[in-house]
Amino acid sequence: MSNEAQVRRRIVQAAGVTAATFGLLAVAGCAGGGDSGESGGDVTIEFAQWWEPELPDGEFRALMDEFEKQNPGIKVELISGPYAATKEQLFAGAASRTMPDVVGLDGAWVSDFASQGVITDLSALMEEAGYDDSELASQVQVDGSTYMIPVVNFVYPMFTNDALLADAGVKAPPKNRTEFAEAAAAVTDLGDDTSGWILPLSLETPNGIQNDVMSWTWASGGTMLADGGPDVTNDDVASTVDFVQGLWDDGVIAPGSFTMKEQDKVEEFTNGRVGMMIDSLAHINLIREANPDLEFSVSAVPAEDGYEGERGIPYASWGIGVAESSEHPEEAFKLIEFLMSQETNAELSSIAGAFPGNKTSTPDFVADDELFADAFEIYQAGYPANEFTGLPVAEQLMRLFGEQFQVLLDGGQTTEEMLDKTQAAWEAEF
Amino acid sequence: MQDVIVAPAPQAATPEPPRRRRPLSRTAEPYGFLAPTLALMFVLMIIPVVLVVGYSFMDNVILNATPELVGVDNFVTVLTDSVFLTATGNTLFFTVGSVAAHLVIGLCFAMLLNSPLIGNIPRAIFRALYILPWLFTAAVIAVLWRMLLAPNGVINYLLSTDVEWLASPALALGTVTFINIWAGYPFFMVSLLAGLQGVPAQLHEAATVDGASAWQRFWNVTIPQLRPIIISLTLLDLIWTSQQFALIWMTTGGGPVNVTEMLSTYTYKLAFSRYEFSLASTSAVLVLLMSMVLAFFYVRHQRAGD
């Protein structure tokens, strides 16, 4: 072998050994993970949420900068991603006990996380910090202890396409179920592919059961629970199911319900093909941007005929909690205190287009925007109602209801059979 | 005549040259090169597979801090679940339907593109058009077809109908199978086109001289020449299609009711909707076993080819 060949061989050998070493180091590096800690005397807390990507660029980071300014020595590292990615990340973190210090929470996850013992008891933290919780609009509790504080709430009123309703001879948004059914039929009779109402029942994202079906029960002061357990065979839920099935049989619901998702619903409404929908207030700006000419308004979800009591309004929250494994619970709670303070909560609500979790906060848009002002009035006149919040495997409960509901609407069973099967399926999950 | 045997003269035993021991660095060299790959495979494949198999024999892992062995209880639960059986049937229909159609359509288009009757420019245009579906990701395909097949979508407009292609329990499974066929045939087309270009022209000429018809040439010359490729592609496609998740999840989510529920969506729901990680692991192990049967035939076929 020539000298040149030997040198080349040595170089290849060295490259091989180096590659092997780096490969092993990289693999070993995978096992370790970054975690929050202290550097240069500062405490860094991690905050995982899906809120930052849903807010205007830089706005949420600016709030964190303000927090860091007010709390020297505490840094906040934001771990931001879309809702679904955040959910999967948190569930993986819960399994490995490596959750970030502060976590954005959906009410549907709280029961599972609390029962696993991966999120901490905020009641105890509040007591330790001497925090006055009287300003909090609501708290999500499991077994009497708070595990999540809703930071902002997105309510789900009824949206009406005013131009379509006017064309159909409907002068005002319906207030009860009979008026709603008549208005929906009148809009459908306009033809040209218009429908009176739209109902997303996709099993991939089954939140249509919560927002578009069970909202009718809550709007009439009804409930789907009894003593914290499932009670879907009661008259409140049966009446809702019968009402929706009546609308289905009358053909006033937009086609494609069984695989329709929330975004499809908003799209159909935005395109002016649907007279009414129940949807999040968070979509007002999206609808305005997509179709500036659309004339629409918001009102309370119609109640049962003759019902005069307070109306429950479905809502979804950006909730917050603290990981049980956090090494810095005090600092983590300081961040929660900051976000729930009157001024910050009002600011966050304003940029999110949501209603504040602090009762004393008033977002800017209430004064500036007529639609939001109307919604705020509805919100204050009723009470936030979402019985799925805090239930175990809440999404699965919605899916189980949705599966049986689809069979009913498809003519495969009676209302009684549907509710009995749902009740049995829910009891198995509880 | 007497045979003369010439015996070889005895030779002095020549000592064997002393065996030189290979230096350690040279012995270790191939292992050094293999080490990164082996380490990655161990961490990313072996460990997860072993963990999931282990989980399938325990009560609810991850959510349960101290899981215990439950034997084959999880397997009994999953195998007696009517939804699992429905999902298995749906997966079978979806997979066999998709793979058969991929093969037929892919072969037809490959032969079209290989035909001497088509000029070079039209050939290039058709090749680009036919391969398009392969360039889209599952998410894009799902969104595209959801829009096309919506009750107010383009397809219904063109057909002057208002069919709920994806939302109707009677049509949903056929519709998602159709979408998957559309998305997957280019893989067969490209591979078979390469195979067709490798078939010697003399074979066709000899068959023509012998008086074979076009169909006889196709059946007795083209197909035998393509058989190794067809078998490999079919086995690979069976494995891939049986594990299809994204397309189903993003078009129907397994619904309406559970008419498009596949083993992949069933497993996903167990894990991320019901948080039953042990049952999900059990379902995943069952899928793994089914895939291993196909993988066994694939590997055996590849070895036979070698």
Side-chain angles (χ1 to χ4, degrees):
Chain A
M1 196 182 282
S2 68
N3 280 346
E4 196 185 334
Q6 277 184 346
V7 168
R8 202 163 50 226
R9 184 166 188 81
R10 284 208 185 100
I11 290 171
V12 173
Q13 273 181 348
V17 172
T18 310
T21 312
F22 273 102
L24 286 169
L25 284 176
V27 169
C30 292
D35 60 350
S36 59
E38 291 162 43
S39 59
D42 283 347
V43 169
T44 301
I45 50 175
E46 292 178 338
F47 181 14
Q49 34 61 49
W50 66 96
W51 313 346
E52 191 183 22
E54 297 192 12
L55 295 171
D57 272 351
E59 299 263 16
F60 196 61
R61 184 63 248 178
L63 282 180
M64 294 302 106
D65 292 343
E66 178 59 30
F67 169 75
E68 289 175 2
K69 204 168 133 191
Q70 289 181 18
N71 295 274
I74 307 178
K75 300 276 179 209
V76 180
E77 186 187 330
L78 290 176
I79 303 172
S80 306
Y83 174 87
T86 304
K87 179 186 169 187
E88 282 173 16
Q89 187 189 23
L90 292 184
F91 274 90
S96 56
R97 301 294 190 266
T98 56
M99 263 189 169
D101 301 273
V102 184
V103 286
L105 292 172
D106 185 317
W109 314 336
V110 176
S111 172
D112 301 301
F113 283 153
S115 61
Q116 284 180 65
V118 293
I119 51 175
T120 205
D121 177 357
L122 293 180
S123 300
L125 272 188
M126 285 192 270
E127 201 178 317
E128 274 174 36
Y131 180 75
D132 174 17
D133 65 355
S134 61
E135 288 186 355
L136 299 180
S138 58
Q139 302 178 42
V140 177
Q141 299 190 323
V142 177
D143 297 332
S145 296
T146 299
Y147 285 91
M148 172 184 129
I149 297 173
V151 180
V152 293
N153 297 318
F154 297 90
V155 296
Y156 281 68
M158 180 176 69
F159 286 62
T160 46
N161 180 327
D162 296 336
L164 271 185
L165 258 63
D167 287 348
V170 180
K171 288 178 184 152
K175 288 190 168 54
N176 60 44
R177 291 185 185 176
T178 302
E179 286 180 13
F180 183 88
E182 287 169 359
V187 171
T188 307
D189 287 344
L190 290 173
D192 204 19
D193 285 335
T194 54
S195 298
W197 186 43
I198 189 156
L199 172 65
L201 291 176
S202 164
L203 297 177
E204 184 212 331
T205 43
N207 60 359
I209 295 299
Q210 170 188 274
N211 302 328
D212 301 81
V213 177
M214 217 49 89
S215 52
W216 293 93
T217 304
W218 299 326
S220 303
T223 177
M224 59 179 206
L225 302 174
D227 301 325
D231 185 25
V232 290
T233 52
N234 69 33
D235 291 344
D236 299 334
V237 181
S239 134
T240 295
V241 168
D242 283 338
F243 171 67
V244 176
Q245 194 191 7
L247 296 174
W248 179 272
D249 293 342
D250 292 344
V252 302
I253 297 177
S257 274
F258 286 177
T259 49
M260 190 181 284
K261 303 177 198 177
E262 191 174 69
Q263 62 263 38
D264 304 319
K265 172 179 77 175
V266 178
E267 209 170 275
E268 288 290 290
F269 183 84
T270 306
N271 290 335
R273 284 196 286 264
V274 171
M276 295 170 281
M277 72 166 176
I278 299 168
D279 191 39
S280 169
L281 213 54
H283 291 144
I284 282 186
N285 290 332
L286 180 78
I287 296 169
R288 281 175 173 160
E289 279 168 23
N291 187 356
D293 298 330
L294 189 75
E295 294 170 37
F296 67 99
S297 57
V298 294
S299 46
V301 175
E304 273 188 294
D305 296 16
Y307 178 76
E308 296 294 338
E310 228 183 350
R311 295 182 187 201
I313 304 154
Y315 73 101
S317 297
W318 285 359
I320 199 165
V322 174
E324 181 67 35
S325 58
S326 171
E327 291 172 9
H328 309 291
E330 280 175 35
E331 289 80 1
F333 191 72
K334 276 187 182 169
L335 178 61
I336 295 181
E337 270 188 272
F338 170 75
L339 287 170
M340 297 312 297
S341 65
Q342 186 186 35
E343 195 183 335
T344 311
N345 202 246
E347 199 177 335
L348 181 57
S349 304
S350 300
I351 56 177
F355 292 142
N358 182 321
K359 285 190 280 194
T360 62
S361 304
T362 306
D364 298 340
F365 56 70
V366 169
D368 303 341
D369 191 305
E370 201 182 325
L371 275 183
F372 279 108
D374 289 346
F376 200 52
E377 207 173 294
I378 298 165
Y379 181 65
Q380 287 179 317
Y383 61 93
N386 186 345
E387 291 185 303
F388 283 101
T389 297
L391 293 188
V393 290
E395 190 183 284
Q396 178 66 5
L397 298 180
M398 294 176 210
R399 185 170 287 123
L400 291 168
F401 192 106
E403 283 174 1
Q404 295 302 328
F405 198 42
Q406 287 192 1
V407 178
L408 169 75
L409 296 179
D410 200 38
Q413 60 186 350
T414 63
T415 302
E416 201 180 329
E417 287 168 343
M418 179 246 150
L419 294 175
D420 284 343
K421 285 181 187 171
T422 307
Q423 175 76 12
W426 279 26
E427 278 172 357
E429 297 296 339
F430 271 69
Chain B
M1 194 176 184
Q2 197 174 4
D3 287 339
V4 177
I5 299 169
V6 180
Q11 286 182 355
T14 52
E16 276 188 27
R19 278 182 111 182
R20 285 179 59 198
R21 290 187 67 186
R22 297 179 75 193
L24 184 64
S25 61
R26 285 197 59 187
T27 310
E29 184 188 323
Y31 297 104
F33 282 109
L34 282 173
T37 308
L38 290 175
L40 281 173
M41 281 183 71
F42 185 73
V43 171
L44 299 177
M45 286 183 69
I46 308 294
I47 292 179
V49 169
V50 169
L51 279 176
V52 167
V53 172
Y55 288 167
S56 67
F57 292 102
M58 294 178 172
D59 61 357
N60 202 10
V61 289
I62 297 178
L63 295 192
N64 189 346
T66 54
E68 290 172 1
L69 279 172
V70 292
V72 294
D73 285 6
N74 292 327
F75 286 88
V76 173
T77 307
V78 170
L79 287 169
T80 53
D81 183 357
S82 62
V83 182
F84 176 80
L85 300 177
T86 305
T88 307
N90 291 342
T91 306
L92 205 62
F93 174 89
F94 177 75
T95 305
V96 173
S98 294
V99 173
H102 284 161
L103 176 60
V104 173
I105 297 171
L107 186 58
C108 288
F109 284 166
M111 290 183 67
L112 185 76
L113 291 175
N114 196 46
S115 166
L117 299 173
I118 296 184
N120 284 337
I121 293 174
R123 191 196 310 271
I125 293 170
F126 280 124
R127 190 177 294 180
L129 279 177
Y130 289 156
I131 211 167
L132 267 181
W134 208 23
L135 305 180
F136 299 129
T137 62
V140 174
I141 291 167
V143 171
L144 185 73
W145 279 100
R146 276 178 64 86
M147 289 167 71
L148 288 172
L149 294 170
N152 295 316
V154 175
I155 304 285
N156 274 326
Y157 174 77
L158 293 175
L159 298 175
S160 300
T161 55
D162 54 357
V163 177
E164 298 181 31
W165 298 99
L166 287 165
S168 159
L171 298 174
L173 183 58
T175 306
V176 290
T177 308
F178 170 80
I179 297 172
N180 192 57
I181 290 168
W182 179 85
Y185 78 81
F187 172 64
F188 272 71
M189 185 190 78
V190 171
S191 308
L192 291 171
L193 182 58
L196 282 172
Q197 287 167 348
V199 177
Q202 297 91 319
L203 293 177
H204 281 287
E205 285 163 10
T208 308
V209 170
D210 286 346
S213 65
W215 169 254
Q216 286 170 324
R217 287 201 304 277
F218 169 75
W219 192 250
N220 296 308
V221 177
T222 308
I223 292 294
Q225 289 290 311
L226 291 179
R227 187 174 292 131
I229 300 175
I230 289 175
I231 294 174
S232 296
L233 288 177
T234 305
L235 286 170
L236 278 179
D237 202 29
L238 280 171
I239 295 171
W240 292 339
T241 309
S242 64
Q243 294 170 0
Q244 178 62 270
F245 169 76
L247 185 66
I248 304 292
W249 190 245
M250 283 186 278
T251 47
T252 62
V257 195
N258 53 23
V259 297
T260 62
E261 191 80 280
M262 303 287 160
L263 289 171
S264 54
T265 52
Y266 174 80
T267 308
Y268 179 87
K269 284 177 185 174
L270 281 177
F272 295 105
S273 182
R274 289 176 58 188
Y275 312 128
E276 296 276 5
F277 291 100
S278 279
L279 289 178
S281 301
T282 309
S283 174
V285 168
L286 290 169
V287 174
L288 176 72
L289 291 174
M290 294 178 208
S291 300
M292 278 174 75
V293 174
L294 293 171
F296 169 76
F297 284 113
Y298 176 72
V299 171
R300 203 172 74 162
H301 173 258
Q302 292 297 97
R303 277 192 180 167
D306 292 342

